[in-house]
Amino acid sequence: MCGIVGYYGPQNPKDVIIAGLKKLEYRGYDSAGLTVLHQGQLKRVRAEGKLKNLEQKIIGEKFDGHLGIGHTRWATHGVPSERNAHPHQVQGVSIVHNGIIENYLEIREELLARGAKITSDTDSELVAHLIAEEVQKQNDLLKAVQIVLGKLRGAFSILAIWEKQPDRLVAFKDGPPLVVGLGDKETFIVSDVQAALQHTKKYIYLDDREIVLVRGDQVDIVDPTGKQIKKQIVELNWSAEQVEKMGYSHFMLKEIYEQPQAIASAMEPHIDSETHSIRLKNVGFGTAPQNIDQLNTLVDWEKTCATLKGINKVMIIACGTSYYAGLAGKYYIEQIARIPVEVDIASEFRYRKPVLQPGTLVMTISQSGETADTLAAIRLAKESGATTLSICNVKNSTIDREAHGHLYMNSGPEVGVASTKAFTSTLVILNCLALAIGKIKNSLSSAQEKEHIQALLSLPSQVEVVLAYDKYFTEAAESLKSFKGFLYMGRGVSYPIALEGALKLKELAYLHAEGYAAGEMKHGPLALIDERMAIIMLAPSDELYEKTVSNLEEAKARGGKIISIGTGENEKLKKISERYLSIPKAHWSTNPVISVIPLQLMAFHLASSLGYDVDQPRNLAKSVTVE
Ligand code: M6R
């Protein structure tokens, strides 16, 4: 993954780079470094560990000049250490790299045979050597990069500077994202717009195998042969404040509390609140929108109807939390729209030679829109001739740009590595999509449509209510400390929520938790149950409630300690459970959005009271741009 920042302009490059890396630390945080062209020479500082270690190390250091690059790392090749930290520097060339060079062993051998002195265990350093060799021959950084690009295989985005061309910054990519921010006489090249939002709202999104050449004030994008490419400039409407903590202790907590607004923004374009009817807006099937303006002017409900009318199956593909949202989508689409849905993990889908029958809509879900496996899956689906639809949070991300149709989570930037508001917004979007397919395919009556929409419209205020119960979730989190393991369980559409709850606990509190379909307990997991096993049961008052209660009794009879999450006052659940957490009564289709919130908050409180870094859990990164 890794975050990269490059800067050319009148501000002090060190300040711009450090501020940018702070915004990108979610992409990796096991070491960081920067190089500034200071008084005609490359000045590099690197540090193992989080960015704050680098900041500490450069206190009192002077960095002048107008050109620099920086990096925050998520290790792929070579342990996290200063030696393996970026930038990598060879004979006046300095580079930062995000991704993986797949043919690195081959390149390494060739370089060693030519007498190169390799000082790290990384694949990235090899790129610095290759460019350094070529600049000596070509006497030009761009030409050198053009040649080196042809030698690399894998997934990479790379920034390079050369001390002999002090006004140049050259960047290229094939895979992980790279965005060019255009300021007033200054240019930013970053992994994610968040790193430059405080400076500019104007961006160019690089496509694969494009090279950007910054030469003083001038920015050119060329193909590998050097031919100019005309690119669209996208003007963003995210504000820099949206990526600040705004008084919250953690981004994750802020993002949990933003959910009422995020959910409302997710459904807003697709619901006519006066007529209580669904009309998916600006899905854009069949078009390849170049920018947000174009997206916003598309009037395509008819085109969407025509596309969705022709589908007879939906295949949902995603990773992690987005995959669990997809599993909930299966319940929505099958129950509401009555067409079959298959859900797959992207890393499995892409290698299992999937059979995509005609009429299958392939839908990917990705908050970042950059997850490597999900991107590969959508490309594979397109090659097989399938119509694709993406649900992304980050507009103009690679997956968004490549899909035929587009739906947006509209959650605003999500910075905490653990996904929260993107998950609940996705549930809302999937709910809207199910209603739209149901309506188009006549499997949803207008009375049912109104009932579902009423439920959706009530959701933001119901989420507010659950958030107001946080003190109960804080107390519950404290009580979880005494357990050795956790089983999260639910039935029906609560089952994916149980999976998501277990993932939140694992990734934040580093505790072993499993999500299970409650009906499966007697097929194995019951053997795990003793007084040190906590059972966290989602038991809403839905049509499966009685069966869920029976599963709870079975667990209790074997000594399991139960924390149940149910609807309103519920004496029965209170009696069975060690702790009963009440949430507002909701429609079956919106209950999952409400019931995941206690699970998010319990994981948050437990992890933070254990002293863990909630926003940046160990070994993880927000945007997984490598396989
Ligand atoms: O950006 P994406 O939605 O594609 O990311 C997918 C997963 O990497 C992500 O959901 C991950 O599981 C989160 N850490 C979960 O909190």
Side-chain angles (χ1 to χ4, degrees), residues 319-322 365-369 371 417-419 503-504 507 624:
C319 302
T321 287
S322 293
I365 304 173
S366 176
Q367 186 285 130
S368 61
T371 300
V417 166
S419 188
L503 177 63
K504 290 284 96 81
E507 69 180 330
V624 186

Side-chain angles (χ1 to χ4, degrees), residues 384-397:
S384 316
T387 299
T388 57
L389 172 64
S390 68
I391 302 181
C392 288
N393 192 32
V394 180
K395 286 186 180 167
N396 278 296
S397 54

Side-chain angles (χ1 to χ4, degrees), residues 91-107:
Q91 295 168 35
V93 169
S94 191
I95 71 112
V96 289
H97 164 223
N98 171 25
I100 287 180
I101 308 298
E102 283 171 2
N103 54 337
Y104 84 102
L105 282 175
E106 197 178 306
I107 297 175

Side-chain angles (χ1 to χ4, degrees), residues 316-365:
I316 304 178
I317 306 162
C319 302
T321 287
S322 293
Y323 168 70
Y324 295 145
L327 283 178
K330 176 180 170 72
Y331 288 83
Y332 289 150
I333 298 170
E334 289 193 341
Q335 236 153 294
I336 299 171
R338 309 298 302 144
I339 58 168
V341 179
E342 209 181 313
V343 191
D344 209 348
I345 294 168
S347 54
E348 291 299 316
F349 173 85
R350 63 183 290 196
Y351 291 115
R352 76 173 164 81
K353 300 193 174 47
V355 178
L356 292 174
Q357 286 155 334
T360 301
L361 174 73
V362 175
M363 180 162 75
T364 56
I365 304 173

Side-chain angles (χ1 to χ4, degrees), residues 41-178:
Q41 293 204 318
L42 298 180
K43 179 167 177 176
R44 173 178 71 164
V45 184
R46 301 179 294 173
E48 187 181 330
K50 296 208 165 188
L51 187 60
K52 62 178 188 311
N53 297 357
L54 177 68
E55 287 185 272
Q56 199 66 36
K57 210 164 166 184
I58 58 179
I59 291 174
E61 289 279 347
K62 214 167 150 33
F63 291 88
D64 294 330
H66 47 257
L67 182 68
I69 56 178
H71 188 268
T72 179
R73 179 169 188 247
W74 186 84
T76 57
H77 297 62
V79 296
S81 66
E82 185 176 329
R83 199 167 64 87
N84 288 331
H86 300 219
H88 289 284
Q89 221 149 279
V90 179
Q91 295 168 35
V93 169
S94 191
I95 71 112
V96 289
H97 164 223
N98 171 25
I100 287 180
I101 308 298
E102 283 171 2
N103 54 337
Y104 84 102
L105 282 175
E106 197 178 306
I107 297 175
R108 191 180 162 91
E109 272 168 29
E110 285 167 15
L111 284 166
L112 287 172
R114 292 198 289 271
K117 277 185 75 180
I118 297 172
T119 57
S120 76
D121 310 316
T122 65
D123 50 349
S124 315
E125 185 194 345
L126 310 180
V127 180
H129 281 276
L130 290 178
I131 298 178
E133 283 182 346
E134 284 305 327
V135 280
Q136 312 306 328
K137 294 186 217 156
Q138 308 298 328
N139 202 27
D140 180 67
L141 184 58
L142 174 63
K143 283 194 185 135
V145 159
Q146 283 172 262
I147 293 166
V148 171
L149 176 55
K151 295 183 178 177
L152 302 179
R153 277 204 322 271
F156 46 83
S157 50
I158 293 169
L159 307 188
I161 55 176
W162 181 34
E163 64 186 13
K164 296 241 173 80
Q165 287 184 315
D167 65 341
R168 281 177 203 206
L169 177 59
V170 177
F172 56 105
K173 74 160 220 120
D174 196 352
L178 214 46

Side-chain angles (χ1 to χ4, degrees), residues 338-491:
R338 309 298 302 144
I339 58 168
V341 179
E342 209 181 313
V343 191
D344 209 348
I345 294 168
S347 54
E348 291 299 316
F349 173 85
R350 63 183 290 196
Y351 291 115
R352 76 173 164 81
K353 300 193 174 47
V355 178
L356 292 174
Q357 286 155 334
T360 301
L361 174 73
V362 175
M363 180 162 75
T364 56
I365 304 173
S366 176
Q367 186 285 130
S368 61
E370 302 293 349
T371 300
D373 286 319
T374 313
L375 176 60
I378 203 166
R379 286 180 176 163
L380 181 69
K382 281 171 78 184
E383 278 164 24
S384 316
T387 299
T388 57
L389 172 64
S390 68
I391 302 181
C392 288
N393 192 32
V394 180
K395 286 186 180 167
N396 278 296
S397 54
T398 312
I399 293 173
D400 179 31
R401 293 201 307 273
E402 295 203 9
H404 296 114
H406 319 264
L407 285 166
Y408 296 107
M409 300 173 191
N410 273 347
S411 311
E414 189 180 71
V415 178
V417 166
S419 188
T420 51
K421 61 178 179 171
F423 178 73
T424 45
S425 292
T426 305
L427 295 182
V428 165
I429 292 294
L430 287 165
N431 203 330
C432 291
L433 177 68
L435 293 173
I437 302 176
K439 184 169 169 170
I440 293 163
K441 287 188 162 283
N442 292 324
S443 48
L444 181 78
S445 70
S446 108
Q448 287 167 326
E449 180 183 4
K450 287 192 177 8
E451 177 193 315
H452 276 278
I453 292 205
Q454 184 52 55
L456 278 167
L457 292 172
S458 312
L459 199 44
S461 57
Q462 288 178 311
V463 172
E464 294 273 11
V465 172
V466 190
L467 290 169
Y469 296 162
D470 192 9
K471 76 171 170 98
Y472 303 110
F473 310 139
T474 314
E475 285 166 15
E478 198 50 38
S479 71
L480 295 183
K481 281 184 179 161
S482 55
F483 294 101
K484 71 163 197 284
F486 301 83
L487 282 175
Y488 282 70
M489 289 196 278
R491 299 185 73 118

Side-chain angles (χ1 to χ4, degrees), residues 153-224:
R153 277 204 322 271
F156 46 83
S157 50
I158 293 169
L159 307 188
I161 55 176
W162 181 34
E163 64 186 13
K164 296 241 173 80
Q165 287 184 315
D167 65 341
R168 281 177 203 206
L169 177 59
V170 177
F172 56 105
K173 74 160 220 120
D174 196 352
L178 214 46
V179 193
V180 183
L182 304 170
D184 182 17
K185 295 194 176 15
E186 57 184 352
T187 307
F188 309 81
I189 303 186
V190 290
S191 302
D192 179 332
V193 294
Q194 292 182 30
L197 261 185
Q198 67 185 108
H199 306 287
T200 180
K201 299 272 161 49
K202 288 188 186 156
Y203 294 90
I204 296 172
Y205 288 81
L206 285 193
D207 286 309
D208 286 349
R209 305 194 76 74
E210 289 180 343
I211 305 173
V212 50
L213 168 65
V214 178
R215 232 177 331 172
D217 293 349
Q218 201 181 322
V219 178
D220 292 301
I221 316 287
V222 297
D223 73 8

